[in-house]
Every structure is written in structure tokens, then in C-alpha cells.
Amino acid sequence: MKEHACIKCKFITTESVCPNCGSTEFTENWSGVVYIIKPEDSFVAKLINAKKPGMYAIKIR
Ligand SMILES: [Zn+2]
């Protein structure tokens, strides 16, 4: 399955359920990637409300 980005939290995954927020709504129209390694230490993670390590889209349409 192709990577898609969660519409709610922008988490990039190949799963059909978002492992970050549990949403099932995804888009394949995303661009830019921010990689969160340690959400608890990351300013960016707090900014985008990321709770899980992984890749997040910067922009979704
Ligand atoms: Zn999500």
C-alpha cells in the first residue's frame, strides 16, 4: 500500500488506521516531511501535536 497522510494529524503511514490518532481518513495529496524521533523532547512535535515517533506531512490538501 502507498504511503498516505492522516487528514487529522498528518501522520504518514501505510496502515488503514492512523497509529497516531486513530483516524481512518487519509489523503495522498501531501507534501513535505518532518521526521519526529522523540516526540517528548521535540518542540516541533508539540507544535504539530505529534505523539508518536514517525513521519508527518508538512502540507496536506
Ligand atoms: Zn492521525
Side-chain angles (χ1 to χ4, degrees):
M1 202 185 207
K2 216 182 157 214
E3 294 95 2
H4 47 197
C6 175
I7 284 172
K8 265 188 164 176
C9 72
K10 298 178 181 171
F11 192 84
I12 296 167
T13 182
T14 54
E15 310 283 326
S16 52
V17 176
C18 175
N20 189 51
C21 74
S23 170
T24 53
E25 289 181 83
F26 296 94
T27 177
E28 282 181 14
N29 294 318
W30 56 271
S31 63
V33 166
V34 56
Y35 193 75
I36 305 292
I37 299 161
K38 286 185 171 180
E40 64 276 15
D41 298 343
S42 167
F43 168 75
V44 180
K46 287 184 179 74
L47 205 68
I48 63 172
N49 204 21
K51 293 178 179 70
K52 267 189 177 275
M55 295 200 302
Y56 292 81
I58 291 167
K59 244 187 166 176
I60 56 170
R61 271 167 280 165

